[in-house]
Amino acid sequence: MSPARRPALPMSPTAYQVLLTLGDDALHGYAIMRRFEELTRGADELLPGTLYTTLGRMVELGWIEEASPRRGEESNGPPRRHYRITPQGRKAAKAESERMRRLVAVVKQERPDWLPERAR
Amino acid sequence: MTEALAVLLFRLATLAMPASVRAAWGKEMTAAFRATWRRRPGVRFALRASADAVRAGMAERWRLKQTRADWFPATRRPHVKTLWQDLKYGARTLLRNPGFTAVAVLTLGLGIGANTAIFTVVNSVLLRPLPYREPGRLVILWETTKELPQILVSYPNFLDWRGRVRSFDDAAIYNGYSQFTVTGKDAAERVRGGLASANLFDVLGVRPAIGRGFLPADDKVGAPPVALLSDAYWKRKFGADPGVLGQTITLDGTSHTIVGVLPPRVRLTQSEIWIPIGLFANTEQFQERANHPGTIGLARLKPGVTLAQMQSDLDGLYRQLRADHPAENAGISAAGDWIANIVLGRIRPALYVLAGAVGLVLLICCVNVANLLLGRAAGRQRELALRVAIGARRERIVAQLLTESVLLALVGGALGVVLAWGGVQVLLTLQPGNIPRLVEIRLDAPVLGFALLLSLVTGVAFGLVPALQSAGGNLVGVLRDGGRGATSGRHSLRMRSTLMVAEVALALMLLVGAGLLIRSFQKLTSVDLGVDPRNVLVGMVSLPTQAYPKDEERQALFTGLLERVRAIPQVTDAALSSDLPVNSSWQTGVTFEALPAVAPGSEPLLNAVIATPEWFGTLRMRVIAGRVFGTTDAQHAPPVMVISRSVAKRFFGDKSALGQRVRMGPPSAPWITIVGVVDDVRDTGMSVESRGTMYLPLAQAPASTMWLAVRTTPGAVAVGAALRKAVEAINKDLPLASLGTLDDRVSGEVAQPRFSMLMLGIFAGIALLLAAIGIYGVISYSVAQRTHELGVRIALGANRMSVVGMVVRQVLTMTGLGIAIGGVAALLAGSVLAKLLFGVRSSDPVTFVAVALVLTAVALVAAAVPAWRAARLDPVTALRAE
C-alpha cells in the first residue's frame, strides 16, 4: 500500500477516539470498544464495523502498528491482533487535539446562546 | 432476537465490506460483535451495528475505488450497461403481457403492502424509542405484597426512596388516573388529571413545550397551586394560545396558575392536566404509610445498572422500611420493570403475531407469482433457447430473468407502499383497541427503506427458481422439438405442484391462527360476567370534598340524585356503586372472626365495593344466599356486608357464611356481619376469575365518588341527556363523567383481542384467496399439459367421471400433503399465539379440523373449472391439437 498522500486533518472522529483510547497500551479491537465505552461512561460507543475498517486505515496511515500484547493479557479466545500507537499517531493526535482546543476556545470566547447552560 | 440471528444479521451486513477487509478482520469483527451482544443484547444494538457495518463497508469500497482508479481503468462500466439493457428489455417484456403483469403486480402489491403497513405499526410502536431521554434507563416501580404482585406506592415510602436507593439517578412518583372537575370555563367538565412529584418530567427527560415544569417549591403543602397542561388539552380548550401561561384554571374548586404546556408526544398516561402531588401531602391518603393511593413510581437508573441490581437495592431498603414501620409495611416490598415493557408489554405479542402473519402472506404471494412465472416460462422457452443457441451464456439469461422479476417486485412494491399508506390511514381512523403510541404511527423514511428492501428480496425470492429452471435443462432440445419440450413441461409441473403444496401449507398456518383467535374471542365474549350489561348506562359523579365536607351531606345528595334519576320515564332501575364490573380498583386486607388469625401483612386481600341497596337488582346479579342491603342498614345500624360466592367458598367451604363477622384493616376497625352471598362478577377483567369481592352499603361506608348506573327500557340512549340534567339540577358545577353504556365499557375490554382477530382474519382471507388462485393455476396447467393423454383415454372409452376423478385425486393428494405439512408447522408455531388465546389451546383440534375442511373445499372449488374442462374434452379436437 502506498503511504497516505496527506495526513488527513481533521481526522475522522473514530480514529481520534481510537488514539485516545489506546493511550500507552497495546489493545485488540474489542478491548478498544470496551475501554472507550468505559471512558465515556456508556454515553458513546464504537461499533465494530466502523472500528475495524478504521483500524485498517490507521495502519496504512502509520498511526498505529501491530504489537504483541502485554504478558498476561493474552486471551484464550480466537487470536486477536493488538495495536499500539506510533510516534506518528501521537503527533497526529496532538495536532487534532490542538485543532479541537482552538475550536473550544472560540466557543468559550463567543458563548453562543444555543449552548446548554451547563457548558456556559 | 437470538444471538445466532443477531450474529447472522451482522455477518450479512459485513458483506458490504470489500473482500480484503473481510479477510483481514471478518472473524475478529464478528467476535467483537458477539461479545458486545452478550454484554447487552438488544434488537436495536444489532440493527445499529449492522447498519454501521454496511455504511463503513460502503465507505471503504468507495475509498479503495478512488485510490485504485489511477492505475485501473474503468473496467466495470460494461456491467452497468448490461443492467440498463436488461432493465429496458424487461420493461418491454412486461408491457407486452399486460394481463400477466397486472396480476403479478397486484399480488405483490398486496403482499408487500400488508407487510409495509404492519411494519409501519411495528416500527412506530415497538422499534422507535419512547419519546423520553434515554428511555432504556427508565423503570416503572410499584410495591408488592404476598397476595398481590403489584400494588400502588405509599407516598411516605416513596419519600424514603430518595437518596436511599443507590441504583437510582432520581425517582419520581405520579398518579395519572386522577380526575379533576374543571369549572369557570364553559360548563363544568371532568378531565383526566395527573398528580406528579416536581421532578417527574425531569426524570423522564421531557421539557415543557412552553413555560416551565414544576419546581421543588411547588411540590409542598400550602404552595401556590400551579398546573401543567397536556398539548391536546391546550389545543382543545385554549386554541393553542401561548398566552395561556399565567392564566388560572379552577380544578376541584381551587384556582391553579398555568405555568407550562407539555410537548405533544408525551403520553405517560392520558392525563390532560398535571398538578404537583406535594400539595396534598397532608391529606390522609398520602400521609398514612399504610395507604397505597393510585400512585406509581418512576425512576431513572444510573447508567449500566441492571434490573437485578436495582431489585437487590430495593430489597435492602424495604428490609429497613419494614423494620422501621412494622405495622404499616408488614409484608410490603417493591419491584419494577423497564418502562418499555410496561408500555408495550401487552401489545408486543399481538404485533409480533401480525408481523409473522403478513410474512406468511408475502410468502404465499411469492409462491403465486413464481407459479405465474413458471407458466409463462413455458411460453418463452423458444426465445431463451434461441438466445442460448446464438451464444448467450446461461448466467446472462438468469441475470436477465432476475432483473425482470426484481423490476416486477419494485413496481409491486410501489403499489404496496400506496396500499400500506391507505391501510394505515384506515387503521388510524378505526382507533383500534388500546394500541399504545397510536399518535406516533406514521409512514416515514425507514418504512420506505423497508418496503424497498422487501421488494428487492421478494423479487429475487420468487424469481430465482423459475429463472434457474428456465435457463437450465436442454434448451437446444426445445428448438428441435418444435417448442413443446415435453420433458421440461413435466419437470415444470412437478415444480409447480411443489409450490402449490407449499402454498396450501402456508395458508393453513394462517387460517389456523385466525381460527384460534376467533374461537378465543368467542370464548372471551361469552364469559358469564355475573351481571347483565345490556341497556345499562353508567356515569361517574364526584362530589368535591371542599363543597360537601360532611358525610351526611354527600349521603343526602346521592339519595336525592337517585330519586331524580328514577323519575326519568325510561329508567327502570338506578343505583350507585364505587366500582363497575370489569375494573375493580380497591383491594383491602381482611380478618375473619371465625378463622385463625394470620401474621400481620399476610391477611387475604379482597376487592371491596361500596354500593346502594338497588345495585344488585339494577345489574341483575344473582343472590345465592341471605339478603342484599335494605333501607334498614342505615348509618348507625349494625354494619353489614354482602360477599361474593368465591369468598364464601374460599373461607367457609360448604358451611354457611351468613352471620359470620369480618374486619377490614387494623384491629381497631369494627366487625362487619355477612348478611348475603351473591354470585361472582368478573370484576378484575373479562379473562380473570374474580379474587372475591365484598359489598358494603353506601350508608355505612361514606364515599365521595360514585358510579351512577341506570337500567333503561331497551334502546333508550337519549336517557344520557336526562341524566346529565338530573346531576346539573343538584349543582351546576357537578359534571357527569365518562357517561356511556356498560356494554361499551365491557367491549372496550376486548378491543385488543378483537383487533388482533380482525387483522389476522383479513390476512387469512387474503391467503385463502391467493391459495385458491394458485391451485386453480396449477390444476388448469396440469389439465392443459395432459390434454393429449386425456383425449386418448376418452377416445379409448374411459368414463368421463373417471377423468374428473383423476383431477380430483390429484387436487386432494396435493392439498392433503399441504395440510399435513402446514398442520405440523402450525402446531410447532402455536406457542407464539398462546399469549393471545383465552380458553382455547393453540393445538385446539376443532380449529385444525375445521380449517383443513375449509381449505380442502376451497381447493376443490378452485379445481372445479379445470376438472369440468377435462371431462368435456372432445377427443377428436384433443388429438387433432397435436
Side-chain angles (χ1 to χ4, degrees), chain A residues 5 29-30 33-34 37 41 45 47-50 52-53 55-57 60 80-81 83, chain B residues 10 17 21 24-25 28-29 32 35-36 39-40 45 48 52-53 55-56 60 63 70:
Chain A
R5 285 163 214 168
Y30 179 59
M33 284 167 63
R34 286 216 60 167
E37 245 179 84
R41 293 201 185 82
E45 63 181 352
L47 291 169
T50 303
Y52 283 96
T53 46
L55 285 181
R57 213 176 300 172
E60 270 178 46
R80 294 192 276 212
R81 276 164 287 178
Y83 289 92
Chain B
F10 181 76
M17 297 182 174
V21 173
W25 304 103
E28 238 181 276
M29 202 153 45
T36 313
R39 265 191 307 128
R40 45 187 171 100
F45 167 69
R48 208 161 57 231
D52 171 73
R55 200 194 47 72
E60 194 64 9
R63 197 180 65 92
D70 304 343

Side-chain angles (χ1 to χ4, degrees), chain B residues 152-230:
Chain B
L152 298 157
V153 178
S154 147
Y155 188 67
N157 280 350
F158 158 72
L159 293 179
D160 284 337
W161 291 355
R162 298 188 149 174
R164 290 173 69 174
V165 184
R166 266 178 316 161
S167 339
F168 291 171
D169 225 7
D170 197 1
I173 195 167
Y174 68 97
N175 171 355
Y177 300 95
S178 189
Q179 294 202 325
F180 305 132
T181 301
V182 182
T183 48
K185 238 179 118 56
D186 315 326
E189 191 193 15
R190 200 78 184 147
V191 301
R192 290 167 187 269
L195 307 177
S197 58
N199 61 345
L200 176 70
F201 297 104
D202 294 335
V203 174
L204 284 173
V206 169
R207 279 160 178 267
I210 60 171
R212 64 168 175 91
F214 296 139
L215 304 175
D218 299 326
D219 197 17
K220 286 192 182 96
V221 175
V226 293
L228 280 172
L229 304 184
S230 78

Side-chain angles (χ1 to χ4, degrees), chain B residues 175 190 203 427 484-485 505 558 728:
Chain B
N175 171 355
R190 200 78 184 147
V203 174
L427 201 73
R484 212 166 59 82
F558 278 132
E728 256 174 45

Side-chain angles (χ1 to χ4, degrees), chain A residues 20-55:
Chain A
L20 280 184
T21 310
L22 276 177
D24 289 326
D25 296 324
L27 298 175
H28 56 75
Y30 179 59
I32 295 174
M33 284 167 63
R34 286 216 60 167
R35 184 184 282 185
F36 179 70
E37 245 179 84
E38 278 164 26
L39 289 177
T40 62
R41 293 201 185 82
D44 283 301
E45 63 181 352
L46 279 171
L47 291 169
T50 303
L51 173 68
Y52 283 96
T53 46
T54 307
L55 285 181

Side-chain angles (χ1 to χ4, degrees), chain B residues 484 787-788 875-882:
Chain B
R484 212 166 59 82
T787 305
H788 181 72
V876 181
T877 337
L879 291 177
R880 200 180 293 144
E882 260 316 272

